[in-house]
Amino acid sequence: MFDKFREECAVMGVYGHPEAANMVYLGLYALQHRGQESSGIVSSDGKILISHRQMGLVADVFKEDVIKRLEGPSAIGHNRYSTTGQSHLRNAQPFVVEYSQGPIAIAHNGNLVNAQVLREELETSGSIFQSTSDTEVIIHLIATSKESSLMGRVVEALSRVRGAYSLLFITLDRMIAARDPMGFRPLVLGKFKAGKNRDGFVVASETCALDLIEADYVREVEPGEIITFGPKGMESLRPFPAAPHAKCIFEYIYFSRPDSNLYGRSVYQVRKELGRQLARENGVPADLVTPVPDSGVPAAIGYAEESGLPLEFGLIRNHYVGRTFIEPQQSIRHFGVKIKLNAQRAVLQGKRVVVVDDSIVRGTTSRKIVRMLRDAGAKEVHMRISSPPTISPCYYGIDTPTRSELIASSSSVEEIRKFVDADSLAYLSHDGMYVFVKGKTEGFCDACFSGNYPVHFEDEGHTRQLHLFDALQQR
Ligand code: 5GP
Ligand code: SF4
Ligand code: MG
């Protein structure tokens, strides 16, 4: 079985830089929010591929001696996050394999929708899988391809997979970047500033990684594009028929860093615009606006600007919360949220509060936040969400829970309001979500908010499971 649609990831690659692995390390650091479970880098010194993969955060995985060992002018890296039981080192990327023409490594962000079908086919004809990750399918397709050139093999392999992929490969003398024809997951191209480090290229999930290493943003890797970086420079190929684009809207709403430039727009500015629209659609008499930090901050700024209400930080976030902590005794209420957020009485006492967040998933955190605001003296709590209700899971590489766990899949807004115990609750409208492109919805995926999936999930077992969830919803 695969670790299906339960992965969030970052990819980062550098070609033609004397300290490639070091640059990739810094890029992965900037992309830590996209995956916190494992991290890995594979570099090429021209003779061999050198690999280091480990469970943990980027800062813990790569120490000075490890980076020193990752020699050579090209390197790719990966951060991975998964919440299922399949959180093993063997699923950590980049994957490295040896095939008839030498070693190759791969790093993948996204999820394939036909990986199970392809895996069964490959196993029947003798391929032996080492992981439960869908990404390994791509490597086996490349290794078993009858094409002679590397590019031929990559094109053939990618023509067989469906779904979401933003990919990086390296071989001894090349780096390849590829993005699926619908462009679900982001991928950007950058270049080191002229004269500084020869003609080095960078490819990364988000532009915030380029900023850190002082590379210039060139453009997006286009949906359906395959770029090869080699001794002769950069070459772009578009071997597949054009498809309607389905760029992930949720990257704007929650997932990308606000300081990234995504699909040609500032994430921060888009989030502010969503907050403004939220205020236009769902204004309410109140004394102040407060964000749920960090993800709700830009939308709350927009909401406050539009509504003319003061913005206050009624919730303060502890930025040093790690992934593990000692479970408290039952007697400490709401501990899980309290360790991360604290409500300030000095700001909230006696106030009518609009609390702005980007989304509600299960509703359990939101419920605790409302309680914390009330406990700190808020007189009224009006929850405002800068996206429409999250009603469906993502199959394209964002770790949303199953349909049955999404509170909005089976509850009305009024039922959710009761559950989170707010005085009022309102979400951004579906049309309002597209305010930043003047209502033009083409080119985006919004399946988790609309249930309209641009590519259907083809794997037998899971399709059946999803039908079961749907059947349960009918009751
Ligand atoms: P809930 O009330 O549904 O338990 O939690 C809502 C919070 O979850 C919001 O603050 C939102 O920013 C956050 N959130 C939304 N989507 C995701 C996601 O995909 N992963 C994680 N870890 N948090 C998310
Ligand atoms: Fe993004 Fe939602 Fe589409 Fe997944 S389903 S790619 S999270 S918009
Ligand atoms: Mg949040």
Side-chain angles (χ1 to χ4, degrees):
M1 271 300 270
F2 281 123
D3 201 1
K4 283 195 203 83
F5 53 82
R6 285 256 161 184
E7 289 185 60
E8 297 171 341
C9 304
V11 295
M12 169 80 186
V14 164
Y15 187 89
H17 188 290
E19 293 176 86
N22 214 325
M23 296 296 117
V24 170
Y25 159 72
L26 291 170
L28 291 178
Y29 213 118
L31 297 169
Q32 185 76 79
H33 63 289
R34 299 185 72 87
Q36 300 93 37
E37 182 192 84
S38 66
S39 194
I41 295 178
V42 174
S43 73
S44 168
D45 67 359
K47 293 189 264 325
I48 53 166
L49 293 188
I50 308 156
S51 157
H52 185 80
R53 300 179 304 160
Q54 202 178 300
M55 305 302 286
L57 296 171
V58 176
D60 302 323
V61 168
F62 301 103
K63 300 294 181 197
E64 217 181 317
D65 55 320
V66 172
I67 299 282
K68 268 213 185 99
R69 206 166 55 73
L70 292 162
E71 285 178 318
S74 62
I76 61 170
H78 189 265
N79 290 338
R80 178 173 189 270
Y81 169 68
S82 143
T83 53
T84 60
Q86 305 282 10
S87 56
H88 302 299
L89 184 58
R90 68 195 168 111
N91 280 342
Q93 295 190 30
F95 291 129
V96 189
V97 292
E98 195 77 39
Y99 75 114
S100 59
Q101 296 178 11
I104 183 167
I106 182 175
H108 174 206
N109 174 210
N111 261 93
L112 307 180
V113 296
N114 64 341
Q116 186 67 33
V117 178
L118 291 171
R119 180 173 178 147
E120 277 158 24
E121 211 180 293
L122 283 158
E123 282 180 333
T124 306
S125 52
S127 296
I128 295 163
F129 281 74
Q130 294 161 23
S131 75
T132 56
S133 160
D134 58 337
T135 307
E136 205 186 338
V137 164
I138 301 172
I139 278 287
H140 285 284
L141 287 171
I142 290 173
T144 56
S145 167
K146 301 275 184 297
E147 294 287 326
S148 54
S149 71
L150 173 65
M151 208 27 147
R153 285 170 183 260
V154 168
V155 171
E156 192 192 280
L158 296 184
S159 72
R160 304 216 41 214
V161 302
R162 304 266 173 272
Y165 57 81
S166 282
L167 288 172
L168 285 171
F169 302 95
I170 57 166
T171 62
L172 293 182
D173 65 346
R174 262 183 257 182
M175 179 169 88
I176 298 172
R179 189 166 173 206
D180 68 77
M182 302 182 85
F184 282 102
R185 304 258 66 86
L187 195 64
V188 295
L189 172 67
K191 209 170 183 309
F192 286 102
K193 293 187 196 310
K196 207 169 171 191
N197 290 300
R198 297 183 289 161
D199 295 317
F201 289 100
V202 191
V203 177
S205 291
E206 291 182 40
T207 59
C208 62
L210 307 182
D211 296 340
L212 179 60
I213 59 172
E214 298 183 335
D216 290 326
Y217 170 70
V218 176
R219 60 176 175 86
E220 282 188 77
V221 174
E222 293 295 330
E225 184 178 15
I226 304 180
I227 305 179
T228 319
F229 305 89
K232 288 186 201 134
M234 181 186 124
E235 200 187 327
S236 163
L237 211 73
R238 286 158 202 268
F240 307 119
H245 292 178
K247 296 178 180 181
C248 173
I249 193 108
F250 192 63
E251 292 272 353
Y252 274 135
I253 287 161
Y254 168 80
F255 202 51
S256 284
R257 253 172 63 159
D259 53 334
S260 282
N261 179 307
L262 177 72
Y263 320 142
R265 271 183 208 87
S266 149
V267 174
Y268 179 84
Q269 297 294 0
V270 168
R271 283 184 195 162
K272 259 182 80 175
E273 194 53 43
L274 297 179
R276 279 195 206 103
Q277 180 65 18
L278 184 61
R280 284 192 284 269
E281 291 181 2
N282 296 296
V284 59
D287 299 310
L288 60 92
V289 178
T290 202
V292 179
D294 289 328
S295 57
V297 171
I301 295 173
Y303 188 104
E305 266 182 25
E306 184 69 27
S307 64
L309 296 172
L311 179 80
E312 296 277 8
F313 277 82
L315 293 162
I316 300 296
R317 178 167 173 183
N318 179 342
H319 284 267
Y320 304 95
V321 178
R323 277 174 67 80
T324 51
F325 47 80
I326 300 156
E327 284 292 322
Q329 293 171 346
Q330 285 286 309
S331 57
I332 306 173
R333 283 180 307 148
H334 328 306
F335 182 83
V337 176
K338 263 188 172 162
I339 195 168
K340 189 169 143 189
L341 295 172
N342 192 18
Q344 304 203 70
R345 182 168 294 276
V347 169
L348 300 164
Q349 180 73 52
K351 295 293 190 334
R352 296 169 301 168
V353 177
V354 176
V355 58
V356 178
D357 207 351
D358 61 277
S359 54
I360 296 181
V361 184
R362 292 183 174 86
T364 48
T365 308
S366 304
R367 180 187 167 99
K368 289 171 182 169
I369 286 168
V370 173
R371 169 52 71 87
M372 274 170 51
L373 294 169
R374 289 197 197 283
D375 285 351
K379 196 166 75 183
E380 290 173 18
V381 178
H382 301 281
M383 188 154 231
R384 293 294 178 270
I385 304 298
S386 63
S387 65
T390 307
I391 56 169
S392 293
C394 175
Y395 307 141
Y396 314 124
I398 291 281
D399 174 40
T400 41
T402 53
R403 190 181 301 269
S404 59
E405 293 169 278
L406 294 169
I407 189 167
S409 75
S410 57
S411 304
S412 67
V413 174
E414 174 55 17
E415 285 165 341
I416 301 169
R417 183 200 67 75
K418 278 199 188 122
F419 178 77
V420 302
D421 194 28
D423 292 284
S424 75
L425 167 68
Y427 288 87
L428 186 62
S429 69
H430 191 270
D431 287 350
M433 178 167 62
Y434 287 100
V435 64
F436 68 97
V437 277
K438 303 197 166 47
K440 201 173 143 282
T441 60
E442 294 94 78
F444 292 102
C445 173
D446 58 25
C448 48
F449 302 115
S450 64
N452 299 327
Y453 289 97
V455 173
H456 286 279
F457 203 73
E458 292 173 27
D459 291 352
E460 251 310 292
H462 261 269
T463 313
R464 235 181 281 124
Q465 200 184 338
L466 292 170
H467 288 159
L468 184 64
F469 281 132
D470 286 335
L472 288 171
Q473 297 311 322
Q474 307 297 318
R475 291 197 257 139

